[in-house]
Amino acid sequence: MSLKEHLVEARNRLFKSLIALALGTIAGFFLYDQLLALIIAPVNAAGGAVNFTAVMSPFDIMIKVALFVGLVISSPVWIYQIWAFIVPGLKKKERRMSMAFAAVAVPLFLFGVSMAYFILPFALHFFIGLTPVNSEILVTVDSYLPFVFRLLLAFGLAMLVPVLMVGLNMVGVLSSKVILKNWRITVFLIALVAAMAAPGGDAITMFALAGPLFVTFAAATLFCYINDKKRAKKQKIQDAENERLASGAVSDIDAPSTIEEPNSKL
C-alpha cells in the first residue's frame, strides 16, 4: 500500500480502538464503586487510609478509574488492531500464526495486571512499614492511584514483550541467533524494566516482575529457535528443488499423480 493508504488504515484502526476504549470506560463508570473498593483495600489492610483532598477529587478519580478499566476491558480490541495493522504484509500462514499470538497476548496482558494486584499489598506493607513510631500515614488518592495504575500497566505491558519477540521472529525480522547473541543485554534490560516498574525500588515488586519476564523470555527464545530451525530446513529443501529444476530435472512437486490423470472411460 501507499503511504496514504497506510495512514488511512492506521486512522481506522485507531478509531476502532478508541470506540472500544469509550465503551469500556462506560462500563468502568458502572463498576466504579466495586473497583475503587478493591484498589483501596490493600491500603486499609496495610494499616493506612486513603483520603480525598479536594471537593472535585471524587469526580476526577471516578474518571481516572473508569478510563483505566476501559483500557483493560478494551485490551482485546486494541491489541488485535495493533496486530491487524501488521498482518496485511504477511503471507496467509504467517497471518494465521500472528492472529494466534494476538490471542495469546490478551491473556498475558491480563495475567500481568492480575499479578501486579497480587503483589500490591506486599509493596504497600513495605512502604507503610517505614512510617515512624507514633505517627500515621495518610495516603492521598491523587498520589495513590497513579502509583497503582503505573504498577498494573507496567506488569501488563511487560508480559507482551515475549509475544512481540515471537511475532517479529515469525515475520523474519528477529532471529533466535540475534536473541541468543545479545542475551546479556536482554537480561540487563529485563532487570532494568523491573526496577523502573517497581515503585520506590521495592525489591519484592522488582523480583515479582523480573521472574515471570525471565521465564516468558526463555520460552519465547526457545520458540524462535525451533521456528528458525523449521524455516531453515524448509529453505534447504526449496533450494535443493530449485537446483534440480535449474539442472533440467523434473520437479517431484509438478509430477502428475494418478488422481490427476484423465479417466479414459468418461
Side-chain angles (χ1 to χ4, degrees):
M1 293 188 295
S2 64
L3 177 60
K4 182 179 179 180
E5 290 173 332
H6 276 294
L7 293 176
V8 170
E9 183 185 4
R11 181 196 63 186
N12 294 336
R13 299 202 177 280
L14 178 61
F15 182 70
K16 293 177 182 178
S17 300
L18 291 177
I19 291 178
L21 176 61
L23 295 176
T25 302
I26 294 174
F29 280 109
F30 290 99
L31 301 173
Y32 168 71
D33 293 331
Q34 297 87 343
L35 293 173
L36 186 62
L38 286 175
I39 295 174
I40 295 177
V43 179
N44 298 330
V50 175
N51 295 270
F52 292 86
T53 57
V55 176
M56 294 296 295
S57 289
F59 179 72
D60 184 40
I61 297 306
M62 180 182 293
I63 294 177
K64 290 180 179 179
V65 172
L67 282 172
F68 181 79
V69 173
L71 183 66
V72 174
I73 292 179
S74 63
S75 59
V77 177
W78 55 262
I79 290 177
Y80 169 78
Q81 294 302 325
I82 292 175
W83 280 106
F85 183 72
I86 304 174
V87 161
L90 305 181
K91 298 178 181 179
K92 185 176 181 180
K93 183 178 179 180
E94 293 174 336
R95 189 180 304 132
R96 290 197 301 266
M97 295 298 295
S98 296
M99 295 302 298
F101 292 124
V104 173
V106 175
L108 281 177
F109 175 77
L110 297 178
F111 170 74
V113 172
S114 302
M115 184 174 61
Y117 182 78
F118 174 76
I119 70 165
L120 179 61
F122 298 98
L124 292 174
H125 182 76
F126 170 79
F127 290 115
I128 295 178
L130 300 177
T131 306
V133 182
N134 298 326
S135 61
E136 182 180 0
I137 183 171
L138 298 177
V139 183
T140 62
V141 70
D142 293 329
S143 62
Y144 175 65
L145 279 186
F147 162 80
V148 175
F149 291 161
R150 189 186 72 173
L151 183 67
L152 298 180
L153 285 178
F155 272 66
L157 294 176
M159 290 295 105
L160 297 181
V161 174
V163 181
L164 179 62
M165 289 172 53
V166 173
L168 292 176
N169 178 263
M170 291 298 300
V171 298
V173 175
L174 182 65
S175 66
S176 59
K177 290 183 178 180
V178 175
I179 299 174
L180 293 173
K181 183 180 179 181
N182 300 280
W183 70 270
R184 294 180 181 85
I185 298 177
T186 305
V187 169
F188 171 76
L189 291 177
I190 290 176
L192 181 62
V193 170
M196 294 176 61
D202 178 24
I204 297 177
T205 308
M206 185 180 70
F207 285 116
L209 176 58
L213 276 179
F214 283 127
V215 173
T216 51
F217 167 75
T221 303
L222 178 62
F223 182 93
C224 294
Y225 178 79
I226 296 174
N227 185 59
D228 287 345
K229 286 291 185 181
K230 291 181 179 179
R231 183 180 298 166
K233 183 178 180 181
K234 184 177 180 181
Q235 185 63 40
K236 185 177 181 180
I237 295 175
Q238 185 65 40
D239 292 342
E241 183 67 19
N242 292 336
E243 290 179 2
R244 290 184 59 191
L245 293 176
S247 62
V250 179
S251 173
D252 295 335
I253 299 176
D254 297 330
S257 63
T258 55
I259 298 178
E260 295 174 339
E261 294 177 356
N263 192 341
S264 58
K265 295 182 180 181
L266 296 180

mmCIF file with all atom_site columns, all heavy atoms in Angstrom, residues 4 36 45 59 106 108 111 212 217 259:
data_model
loop_
_atom_site.group_PDB
_atom_site.id
_atom_site.type_symbol
_atom_site.label_atom_id
_atom_site.label_alt_id
_atom_site.label_comp_id
_atom_site.label_asym_id
_atom_site.label_entity_id
_atom_site.label_seq_id
_atom_site.pdbx_PDB_ins_code
_atom_site.Cartn_x
_atom_site.Cartn_y
_atom_site.Cartn_z
_atom_site.occupancy
_atom_site.B_iso_or_equiv
_atom_site.pdbx_formal_charge
_atom_site.auth_seq_id
_atom_site.auth_comp_id
_atom_site.auth_asym_id
_atom_site.auth_atom_id
_atom_site.pdbx_PDB_model_num
ATOM 1  N N   . LYS A 1 4   ? -0.260  6.959   1.937   1.00 0.00 ? 4   LYS A N   1
ATOM 2  C CA  . LYS A 1 4   ? -1.581  7.481   2.255   1.00 0.00 ? 4   LYS A CA  1
ATOM 3  C C   . LYS A 1 4   ? -2.514  6.374   2.714   1.00 0.00 ? 4   LYS A C   1
ATOM 4  O O   . LYS A 1 4   ? -3.285  6.543   3.663   1.00 0.00 ? 4   LYS A O   1
ATOM 5  C CB  . LYS A 1 4   ? -2.153  8.197   1.019   1.00 0.00 ? 4   LYS A CB  1
ATOM 6  C CG  . LYS A 1 4   ? -3.519  8.811   1.275   1.00 0.00 ? 4   LYS A CG  1
ATOM 7  C CD  . LYS A 1 4   ? -4.044  9.522   0.028   1.00 0.00 ? 4   LYS A CD  1
ATOM 8  C CE  . LYS A 1 4   ? -5.425  10.119  0.289   1.00 0.00 ? 4   LYS A CE  1
ATOM 9  N NZ  . LYS A 1 4   ? -5.950  10.805  -0.922  1.00 0.00 ? 4   LYS A NZ  1
ATOM 10 N N   . LEU A 1 36  ? -13.025 0.672   42.982  1.00 0.00 ? 36  LEU A N   1
ATOM 11 C CA  . LEU A 1 36  ? -12.316 1.564   43.899  1.00 0.00 ? 36  LEU A CA  1
ATOM 12 C C   . LEU A 1 36  ? -12.131 0.888   45.250  1.00 0.00 ? 36  LEU A C   1
ATOM 13 O O   . LEU A 1 36  ? -11.084 1.048   45.899  1.00 0.00 ? 36  LEU A O   1
ATOM 14 C CB  . LEU A 1 36  ? -13.078 2.874   44.060  1.00 0.00 ? 36  LEU A CB  1
ATOM 15 C CG  . LEU A 1 36  ? -12.368 3.941   44.894  1.00 0.00 ? 36  LEU A CG  1
ATOM 16 C CD1 . LEU A 1 36  ? -11.054 4.347   44.233  1.00 0.00 ? 36  LEU A CD1 1
ATOM 17 C CD2 . LEU A 1 36  ? -13.265 5.164   45.097  1.00 0.00 ? 36  LEU A CD2 1
ATOM 18 N N   . ALA A 1 45  ? -5.663  -2.727  54.522  1.00 0.00 ? 45  ALA A N   1
ATOM 19 C CA  . ALA A 1 45  ? -5.107  -3.943  55.120  1.00 0.00 ? 45  ALA A CA  1
ATOM 20 C C   . ALA A 1 45  ? -3.699  -3.713  55.650  1.00 0.00 ? 45  ALA A C   1
ATOM 21 O O   . ALA A 1 45  ? -3.273  -4.372  56.604  1.00 0.00 ? 45  ALA A O   1
ATOM 22 C CB  . ALA A 1 45  ? -5.099  -5.070  54.086  1.00 0.00 ? 45  ALA A CB  1
ATOM 23 N N   . PHE A 1 59  ? -14.935 13.061  41.730  1.00 0.00 ? 59  PHE A N   1
ATOM 24 C CA  . PHE A 1 59  ? -15.309 13.013  40.315  1.00 0.00 ? 59  PHE A CA  1
ATOM 25 C C   . PHE A 1 59  ? -14.083 12.755  39.431  1.00 0.00 ? 59  PHE A C   1
ATOM 26 O O   . PHE A 1 59  ? -14.142 11.980  38.475  1.00 0.00 ? 59  PHE A O   1
ATOM 27 C CB  . PHE A 1 59  ? -15.981 14.321  39.907  1.00 0.00 ? 59  PHE A CB  1
ATOM 28 C CG  . PHE A 1 59  ? -16.386 14.370  38.463  1.00 0.00 ? 59  PHE A CG  1
ATOM 29 C CD1 . PHE A 1 59  ? -17.464 13.621  38.003  1.00 0.00 ? 59  PHE A CD1 1
ATOM 30 C CD2 . PHE A 1 59  ? -15.690 15.153  37.557  1.00 0.00 ? 59  PHE A CD2 1
ATOM 31 C CE1 . PHE A 1 59  ? -17.837 13.653  36.660  1.00 0.00 ? 59  PHE A CE1 1
ATOM 32 C CE2 . PHE A 1 59  ? -16.039 15.190  36.221  1.00 0.00 ? 59  PHE A CE2 1
ATOM 33 C CZ  . PHE A 1 59  ? -17.127 14.443  35.777  1.00 0.00 ? 59  PHE A CZ  1
ATOM 34 N N   . VAL A 1 106 ? -3.526  -11.172 24.812  1.00 0.00 ? 106 VAL A N   1
ATOM 35 C CA  . VAL A 1 106 ? -4.565  -10.656 25.713  1.00 0.00 ? 106 VAL A CA  1
ATOM 36 C C   . VAL A 1 106 ? -4.528  -11.345 27.075  1.00 0.00 ? 106 VAL A C   1
ATOM 37 O O   . VAL A 1 106 ? -4.487  -10.670 28.113  1.00 0.00 ? 106 VAL A O   1
ATOM 38 C CB  . VAL A 1 106 ? -5.964  -10.783 25.061  1.00 0.00 ? 106 VAL A CB  1
ATOM 39 C CG1 . VAL A 1 106 ? -7.047  -10.372 26.042  1.00 0.00 ? 106 VAL A CG1 1
ATOM 40 C CG2 . VAL A 1 106 ? -6.035  -9.931  23.801  1.00 0.00 ? 106 VAL A CG2 1
ATOM 41 N N   . LEU A 1 108 ? -2.031  -12.806 28.441  1.00 0.00 ? 108 LEU A N   1
ATOM 42 C CA  . LEU A 1 108 ? -0.773  -12.432 29.085  1.00 0.00 ? 108 LEU A CA  1
ATOM 43 C C   . LEU A 1 108 ? -0.861  -11.027 29.687  1.00 0.00 ? 108 LEU A C   1
ATOM 44 O O   . LEU A 1 108 ? -0.367  -10.783 30.790  1.00 0.00 ? 108 LEU A O   1
ATOM 45 C CB  . LEU A 1 108 ? 0.373   -12.498 28.084  1.00 0.00 ? 108 LEU A CB  1
ATOM 46 C CG  . LEU A 1 108 ? 0.925   -13.889 27.773  1.00 0.00 ? 108 LEU A CG  1
ATOM 47 C CD1 . LEU A 1 108 ? 2.004   -13.809 26.700  1.00 0.00 ? 108 LEU A CD1 1
ATOM 48 C CD2 . LEU A 1 108 ? 1.481   -14.545 29.028  1.00 0.00 ? 108 LEU A CD2 1
ATOM 49 N N   . PHE A 1 111 ? -2.975  -11.297 32.704  1.00 0.00 ? 111 PHE A N   1
ATOM 50 C CA  . PHE A 1 111 ? -2.213  -12.000 33.739  1.00 0.00 ? 111 PHE A CA  1
ATOM 51 C C   . PHE A 1 111 ? -1.234  -11.053 34.428  1.00 0.00 ? 111 PHE A C   1
ATOM 52 O O   . PHE A 1 111 ? -1.077  -11.086 35.657  1.00 0.00 ? 111 PHE A O   1
ATOM 53 C CB  . PHE A 1 111 ? -1.459  -13.176 33.122  1.00 0.00 ? 111 PHE A CB  1
ATOM 54 C CG  . PHE A 1 111 ? -0.462  -13.813 34.059  1.00 0.00 ? 111 PHE A CG  1
ATOM 55 C CD1 . PHE A 1 111 ? -0.879  -14.612 35.110  1.00 0.00 ? 111 PHE A CD1 1
ATOM 56 C CD2 . PHE A 1 111 ? 0.896   -13.599 33.876  1.00 0.00 ? 111 PHE A CD2 1
ATOM 57 C CE1 . PHE A 1 111 ? 0.040   -15.191 35.978  1.00 0.00 ? 111 PHE A CE1 1
ATOM 58 C CE2 . PHE A 1 111 ? 1.823   -14.171 34.726  1.00 0.00 ? 111 PHE A CE2 1
ATOM 59 C CZ  . PHE A 1 111 ? 1.394   -14.968 35.789  1.00 0.00 ? 111 PHE A CZ  1
ATOM 60 N N   . PRO A 1 212 ? 8.714   -13.706 36.186  1.00 0.00 ? 212 PRO A N   1
ATOM 61 C CA  . PRO A 1 212 ? 7.907   -14.116 35.021  1.00 0.00 ? 212 PRO A CA  1
ATOM 62 C C   . PRO A 1 212 ? 8.473   -13.638 33.692  1.00 0.00 ? 212 PRO A C   1
ATOM 63 O O   . PRO A 1 212 ? 8.336   -14.318 32.683  1.00 0.00 ? 212 PRO A O   1
ATOM 64 C CB  . PRO A 1 212 ? 6.545   -13.468 35.311  1.00 0.00 ? 212 PRO A CB  1
ATOM 65 C CG  . PRO A 1 212 ? 6.510   -13.295 36.785  1.00 0.00 ? 212 PRO A CG  1
ATOM 66 C CD  . PRO A 1 212 ? 7.921   -12.999 37.189  1.00 0.00 ? 212 PRO A CD  1
ATOM 67 N N   . PHE A 1 217 ? 10.593  -14.873 28.577  1.00 0.00 ? 217 PHE A N   1
ATOM 68 C CA  . PHE A 1 217 ? 11.666  -14.591 27.616  1.00 0.00 ? 217 PHE A CA  1
ATOM 69 C C   . PHE A 1 217 ? 12.337  -15.888 27.172  1.00 0.00 ? 217 PHE A C   1
ATOM 70 O O   . PHE A 1 217 ? 12.616  -16.075 25.981  1.00 0.00 ? 217 PHE A O   1
ATOM 71 C CB  . PHE A 1 217 ? 12.687  -13.645 28.248  1.00 0.00 ? 217 PHE A CB  1
ATOM 72 C CG  . PHE A 1 217 ? 13.968  -13.538 27.472  1.00 0.00 ? 217 PHE A CG  1
ATOM 73 C CD1 . PHE A 1 217 ? 14.023  -12.816 26.292  1.00 0.00 ? 217 PHE A CD1 1
ATOM 74 C CD2 . PHE A 1 217 ? 15.128  -14.171 27.909  1.00 0.00 ? 217 PHE A CD2 1
ATOM 75 C CE1 . PHE A 1 217 ? 15.204  -12.716 25.566  1.00 0.00 ? 217 PHE A CE1 1
ATOM 76 C CE2 . PHE A 1 217 ? 16.307  -14.081 27.200  1.00 0.00 ? 217 PHE A CE2 1
ATOM 77 C CZ  . PHE A 1 217 ? 16.347  -13.351 26.025  1.00 0.00 ? 217 PHE A CZ  1
ATOM 78 N N   . ILE A 1 259 ? -4.376  -39.498 -9.546  1.00 0.00 ? 259 ILE A N   1
ATOM 79 C CA  . ILE A 1 259 ? -5.693  -38.886 -9.366  1.00 0.00 ? 259 ILE A CA  1
ATOM 80 C C   . ILE A 1 259 ? -5.916  -37.828 -10.425 1.00 0.00 ? 259 ILE A C   1
ATOM 81 O O   . ILE A 1 259 ? -7.027  -37.626 -10.897 1.00 0.00 ? 259 ILE A O   1
ATOM 82 C CB  . ILE A 1 259 ? -5.799  -38.255 -7.961  1.00 0.00 ? 259 ILE A CB  1
ATOM 83 C CG1 . ILE A 1 259 ? -5.642  -39.345 -6.915  1.00 0.00 ? 259 ILE A CG1 1
ATOM 84 C CG2 . ILE A 1 259 ? -7.107  -37.526 -7.774  1.00 0.00 ? 259 ILE A CG2 1
ATOM 85 C CD1 . ILE A 1 259 ? -5.678  -38.812 -5.490  1.00 0.00 ? 259 ILE A CD1 1
#
